Amino acid sequence: MPRNNNSDDDEVYQPPTNTSGPADTSPRQTRAIREAAMLRAGFVNNNMSEEDYQFMLSLMPLGFHSDPTKFPKLFQITSQDYQSTSPLEDREVYEIRDYLVKYTDFDLRVPTLATRIRRANADYLSDGISRLMSPFGEHYYAFTCLVCHSWYRPDSEECNQYTCYAPFRDQLAEWAKDHIAIRMTPDRGYGAFMKPGRDVEQDEIIGIYYGMICKHDSEHVPNSAYVYEMDDHIGEYPYNIDAGMYGNWTRFINHHCRPNVACSPETIGGIRVLAFKALRPIEEGHEIYVNYGRSYFDKFKMQCRCNLYPIAHKAEGHADTATNKPRTRALPVLPLDQKRELPLDSDSDSPLSSPPSTPERPVTPDPGRPDPGRPDPFRPSPLRPGATSRSGPRHRRTRGKLATYSPASLSKVSSGIRKRQRIDRQASRSYVSGVQEALEQQELIEIVGDAGYSSDSTLSSPTDTDEEMEDILGYSLGNLGNKPKVHAEPYRAGGQALPDVDQVLREAAPVEAEDYQVEKVMDSTLMGDEVKYLVKWEGWPQRRHWTWEPFEHFYSDGAKAAVRTFHAQQPRKPKDSRVEA
Ligand SMILES: C[S@@+](CC[C@H](N)C(=O)[O-])C[C@H]1O[C@@H](n2cnc3c(N)ncnc32)[C@H](O)[C@@H]1O
C-alpha cells in the first residue's frame, strides 16, 4: 500500500485518564518481566540471538498472538522450525492456518508463520536494504504491563489499564470481528466490507495497519503490494509497514479514487500506529476504500480499476477528457474467477484487455520476499484454469436462489476464456456493451465507493448462522482454502438482477479444450479431509507455478492418467477415493 494522501489531521486517541498504574519496576525487574512474557509466548529459546530476540519482541505489539495455550501447535511448529532454515511446505502452511482459523478468537487474522518472518528477516538483514527494526527504535524495549498484560514502551506514559495501547487494540479487534467482512470483489481480489447491520460514523478509527516494520529507503522501497509507505519516523529512520506476510484485515482494504477512509500515523496509548479513520459515514454492505495514491499504480505499472465503472467516473469527473466518455466499459457481473479473466475488450488502454496471463501484481523477484508467483495461501490461487485452492461446487447467488457450478465446468469455462485468441470477440464485446447499456440505462451502477453489495433483503439482516455468515463473507472462514463450502458472491451494485453467467459465457466464450495440460502429478497431501495433488503444468517447469488441485479438477483422461501414474509410483501417498485402481 501506498503513502496515504488524505489525512492531514494527526488526531491522538485520548483514553480516559486513570492514575492507578502498576507498581514501579526497576530496569532489572522489567527485563525479567519481559523475558518471562516472551518465554510464556513461546518466542524465546536459548539459542536465540539478541538480534532475533529483539525482532520477535518487535512483533509482539503488532498483534502477533501470544497465548501458547491457544496456539500450542503453532508454537511447537514455529519453535521447531526456528531451528531449521527450511521454509514450510504449503501443506504445513495450510494445516497451521486451518488450525489458527479454528482456534483463534479473531477469525479475520491473517497469520504469518514465524518461520517465514524469520526467513524474511534474515533476507532483510542480509540485503542491507530494508532491515527490520523494532517499532520502538533500536534502543527501546517493550514491557508487559503488570495490570493489563499489554505491551508498552518505557519512555511513554506509564502504562495502566486505560492509557496503554493494548485495550484499544483489543477493542478494535473485537469491533472488526463484529463489523467487517472480507469478501471477494469482482476485479480487485478480496476487499473489506461492512457487515450487514453495521456501519461506521465519520472520524471513527476502524482499524490499524499491522505488518512487519521495515526501514524505508527512498531508493529501495520493498516490492510488495502490501507495503504501506509511512510518512513517519522511528527515531531518525523513516519506515514502512509491510503486510505482505503478516497483517490483519486492513491489508484487504482496496483502493478507490474516492475513498471512504484515510490512513495516518497516530499516537495511541503512547504507541505510533497507522490508523484507518472514516472520512464519512460508511453504511452496511459498503466496501471500505482508501486512496493508495497515484504512485502506487505507477510503481507497480498497474491501472486503477476505478475507471471500469463509468457512472462512478462520470459522477467523479474521471471520464476520459478527450471524449468525455468513460474510457472502458462497464464491468460485467460474473463470478469471481471468470471476472478477472474475461477478455472484454481489445482497447489498448483497458486493463482488462491485457493478456490474461499477465499477473495482476507485478512480479519482480525479490530474495527477501516470498516468490510472487508462489500461490499465496491467503489469496485465491493464480489465474490459471483449474488452479483454484478451493474445491467442491461453487455457488453464485442470483436473486433469492443459488446456482451451482461444478468445479470442472468452471475450470473448463475458465480455460476457454483464457484462450483469448480463439474466443469469439464479437460476442464478448456485444455482451459487455449490452451489460453496460442495460446498467447505464437503468442507472444501476452507483458510485463505486458506495457500491460493494446491496443491502437488499437477501443480505441485510445480521445473522449468526454459519451458512448465512458464509454468504455474507463470500467464503467460509472456518474452511479457508480446503473445504468445499465456498461460493462466490457476485458483485452487485444497486441490487440489479444478475445476468445468467452460464448463458453469457456460453455465448461469449465458447469452451475450448483445456489449454493448461497436466504434465505430471508431483505429490499428494491431505488438506483437512480432502486429498489434493500438486500439479506440474506443461510449459511451467518452475516449482512456484505448480498448484495444489483437488481430484475433481482432473477432468481430462490425460490428467486422470497422471494421477494414476503418480499413485502407481507413490503407493503410500494420500489417495482420493475416486481415483480408479
Ligand atoms: C493492499 S492489497 C488489497 C487487498 C487485495 N485486494 C487482496 O485480495 O489481497 C492491494 C492490491 O489490491 C488490488 N487493488 C486494490 N484496489 C485496486 C484498484 N482500485 N484497482 C486495481 N487493483 C486494485 C491490486 O492488486 C493491489 O495490488
Side-chain angles (χ1 to χ4, degrees), residues 262-375:
C263 196
S264 58
E266 310 268 351
T267 304
I268 295 176
I271 289 188
R272 291 297 273 172
V273 294
L274 187 56
F276 287 92
K277 199 193 288 179
L279 289 168
R280 48 194 153 93
I282 311 174
E283 289 171 20
E284 62 171 352
H286 290 184
E287 185 168 355
I288 295 165
Y289 291 112
V290 71
N291 187 348
Y292 291 3
R294 182 77 251 152
S295 59
Y296 180 86
F297 292 95
D298 291 347
K299 179 178 152 200
F300 290 121
K301 297 187 175 52
M302 268 188 215
Q303 192 157 0
C304 164
R305 298 196 172 183
C306 295
N307 65 0
L308 291 173
Y309 299 84
I311 293 178
H313 274 243
K314 270 183 208 161
E316 293 305 309
H318 287 213
D320 184 282
T321 44
T323 61
N324 202 27
K325 284 195 175 151
R327 288 192 303 161
T328 51
R329 297 169 180 205
L331 188 73
V333 183
L334 296 172
L336 57 97
D337 284 341
Q338 283 79 2
K339 278 185 193 115
R340 295 181 173 195
E341 298 174 31
L342 186 66
L344 300 173
D345 201 334
S346 53
D347 293 354
S348 58
D349 67 346
S350 161
L352 290 180
S353 69
S354 57
S357 56
T358 304
E360 198 186 4
R361 285 199 240 163
V363 179
T364 311
D366 177 338
R369 312 200 156 269
D371 191 326
R374 187 184 171 89

Side-chain angles (χ1 to χ4, degrees), residues 137-359:
E138 296 191 316
H139 307 297
Y140 290 123
Y141 295 103
F143 299 91
T144 36
C145 167
L146 289 173
V147 178
C148 65
H149 306 290
S150 65
W151 296 84
Y152 71 104
R153 53 184 279 185
D155 71 334
S156 65
E157 312 100 275
E158 197 171 64
C159 181
N160 62 50
Q161 287 180 73
Y162 302 100
T163 59
C164 68
Y165 160 70
F168 175 80
R169 179 199 62 193
D170 294 346
Q171 270 169 25
L172 218 49
E174 277 303 310
W175 181 91
K177 213 166 125 181
D178 193 42
H179 283 69
I180 305 293
I182 303 300
R183 299 175 55 247
M184 183 53 74
T185 67
D187 60 338
R188 301 163 202 217
Y190 285 108
F193 294 78
M194 294 306 301
K195 282 187 178 174
R198 299 283 182 266
D199 54 20
V200 168
E201 307 263 304
Q202 183 169 343
D203 291 335
E204 259 188 72
I205 291 183
I206 60 167
I208 287 171
Y209 201 64
Y210 283 165
M212 292 199 299
I213 305 289
C214 49
K215 188 175 169 183
H216 176 81
D217 180 320
S218 54
E219 286 180 14
H220 302 104
V221 178
N223 190 21
S224 156
Y226 295 86
V227 172
Y228 209 108
E229 292 176 26
M230 298 278 286
D231 201 1
D232 200 21
H233 290 71
I234 298 171
E236 64 189 83
Y237 301 110
Y239 66 104
N240 295 331
I241 296 186
D242 183 355
M245 289 189 288
Y246 172 70
N248 64 2
W249 69 272
T250 58
R251 84 200 278 280
F252 293 110
I253 298 181
N254 284 322
H255 160 89
H256 197 273
C257 300
R258 183 176 176 262
N260 48 18
V261 296
C263 196
S264 58
E266 310 268 351
T267 304
I268 295 176
I271 289 188
R272 291 297 273 172
V273 294
L274 187 56
F276 287 92
K277 199 193 288 179
L279 289 168
R280 48 194 153 93
I282 311 174
E283 289 171 20
E284 62 171 352
H286 290 184
E287 185 168 355
I288 295 165
Y289 291 112
V290 71
N291 187 348
Y292 291 3
R294 182 77 251 152
S295 59
Y296 180 86
F297 292 95
D298 291 347
K299 179 178 152 200
F300 290 121
K301 297 187 175 52
M302 268 188 215
Q303 192 157 0
C304 164
R305 298 196 172 183
C306 295
N307 65 0
L308 291 173
Y309 299 84
I311 293 178
H313 274 243
K314 270 183 208 161
E316 293 305 309
H318 287 213
D320 184 282
T321 44
T323 61
N324 202 27
K325 284 195 175 151
R327 288 192 303 161
T328 51
R329 297 169 180 205
L331 188 73
V333 183
L334 296 172
L336 57 97
D337 284 341
Q338 283 79 2
K339 278 185 193 115
R340 295 181 173 195
E341 298 174 31
L342 186 66
L344 300 173
D345 201 334
S346 53
D347 293 354
S348 58
D349 67 346
S350 161
L352 290 180
S353 69
S354 57
S357 56
T358 304

Side-chain angles (χ1 to χ4, degrees), residues 336-519:
L336 57 97
D337 284 341
Q338 283 79 2
K339 278 185 193 115
R340 295 181 173 195
E341 298 174 31
L342 186 66
L344 300 173
D345 201 334
S346 53
D347 293 354
S348 58
D349 67 346
S350 161
L352 290 180
S353 69
S354 57
S357 56
T358 304
E360 198 186 4
R361 285 199 240 163
V363 179
T364 311
D366 177 338
R369 312 200 156 269
D371 191 326
R374 187 184 171 89
D376 177 343
F378 309 118
R379 285 175 60 89
S381 291
L383 305 179
R384 182 178 308 142
T388 168
S389 61
R390 295 170 177 174
S391 57
R394 295 186 175 203
H395 302 94
R396 67 188 170 83
R397 186 184 274 276
T398 56
R399 279 185 169 271
K401 67 179 173 97
L402 284 174
T404 307
Y405 300 98
S406 76
S409 75
L410 278 180
S411 287
K412 276 189 183 172
V413 169
S414 201
S415 305
I417 291 168
R418 289 176 63 84
K419 284 224 153 183
R420 299 186 79 229
Q421 64 275 33
R422 299 191 210 162
I423 283 171
D424 179 347
R425 288 170 193 273
Q426 193 50 47
S428 174
R429 276 199 207 99
S430 66
Y431 159 65
V432 174
S433 43
V435 171
Q436 182 190 2
E437 220 172 87
L439 294 175
E440 278 183 351
Q441 268 170 18
Q442 296 166 47
E443 298 198 27
L444 287 173
I445 292 188
E446 299 167 345
I447 304 297
V448 179
D450 300 328
Y453 62 87
S454 66
S455 55
D456 66 14
S457 57
T458 56
L459 284 172
S460 60
S461 53
T463 171
D464 285 323
T465 70
D466 279 350
E467 204 183 333
E468 282 180 284
M469 190 53 75
E470 285 165 17
D471 280 357
I472 293 162
L473 295 178
Y475 60 85
S476 158
L477 282 171
N479 297 294
L480 271 172
N482 63 359
K483 292 269 174 63
K485 283 162 82 182
V486 179
H487 69 259
E489 174 67 46
Y491 175 84
R492 292 189 293 179
Q496 75 273 29
L498 297 167
D500 180 332
V501 175
D502 281 337
Q503 193 187 340
V504 166
L505 291 173
R506 264 198 307 278
E507 286 168 7
V511 175
E512 300 277 336
E514 187 183 17
D515 64 349
Y516 283 85
Q517 304 290 341
V518 176
E519 183 180 319

